[in-house]
Amino acid sequence: MSKRAVDAVFQALFLLSDVRFLLRETAPGHDLNEAQKARAATTLDKVKRQVAILEEELIR
């Protein structure tokens, strides 16, 4: 596994921890306000980029 792939794994995990924190902030109903929704969308876009790197490095 390349260093780039390893870095992508760790970055994605850190980003998912941010999502987890957001969910903990909004428990139990997980009703996100507009700012939280924007933060979630931005974070999930970053996760998708890391997953794309993993696909490039490991699958293709």
Side-chain angles (χ1 to χ4, degrees), residues 27-52:
H30 305 299
D31 296 321
L32 282 63
N33 63 31
E34 291 305 313
Q36 291 166 325
K37 287 179 183 179
R39 191 168 113 207
T42 300
T43 303
L44 291 173
D45 283 342
K46 291 177 183 178
V47 170
K48 289 176 187 176
R49 279 184 266 168
Q50 297 307 312
V51 171

Side-chain angles (χ1 to χ4, degrees), residues 7-39:
D7 289 344
V9 168
F10 281 98
Q11 187 61 36
L13 289 171
F14 291 135
L15 290 163
L16 288 172
S17 291
D18 291 344
V19 173
R20 182 175 167 256
F21 179 76
L22 180 63
L23 293 173
R24 289 180 76 194
E25 280 183 334
T26 60
H30 305 299
D31 296 321
L32 282 63
N33 63 31
E34 291 305 313
Q36 291 166 325
K37 287 179 183 179
R39 191 168 113 207

